[in-house]
Amino acid sequence: MRTTVTLTHSHTAHQRRLREMVKRLVIELGYLEHCLEQGLQEAHVQAAATGIDTAIDRLNEHLST
């Protein structure tokens, strides 16, 4: 039983950490989108925004299951 409690606690802590990561990614994505709106049209910035958007989608899918 102790092992089950540890796993449950660990799983919950893991999900909380993933949710925190999603929040930070959303903030960073917002900043990159702001930069793009202000005229910063660098390919690296656009690629980073796309990558962060994809990461957010995948983490949200994982958390919803």
Side-chain angles (χ1 to χ4, degrees):
M1 178 150 184
R2 183 179 177 110
T3 304
T4 303
V5 171
T6 302
L7 289 174
T8 302
H9 175 70
S10 177
H11 181 71
T12 302
H14 177 71
Q15 287 206 333
R16 275 196 304 263
R17 184 168 181 194
L18 288 176
R19 284 188 178 94
E20 279 300 313
M21 290 171 73
V22 169
K23 288 178 187 177
R24 286 189 303 234
L25 286 171
V26 167
I27 291 167
E28 293 300 324
L29 178 59
Y31 175 73
L32 289 175
E33 288 177 340
H34 172 75
C35 290
L36 291 169
E37 288 173 1
Q38 297 300 315
L40 182 62
Q41 297 297 321
E42 292 184 14
H44 294 294
V45 175
Q46 291 174 343
T50 300
I52 290 174
D53 192 43
T54 301
I56 291 168
D57 289 343
R58 289 184 181 165
L59 282 169
N60 279 329
E61 285 176 19
H62 175 73
L63 289 169
S64 69
T65 58

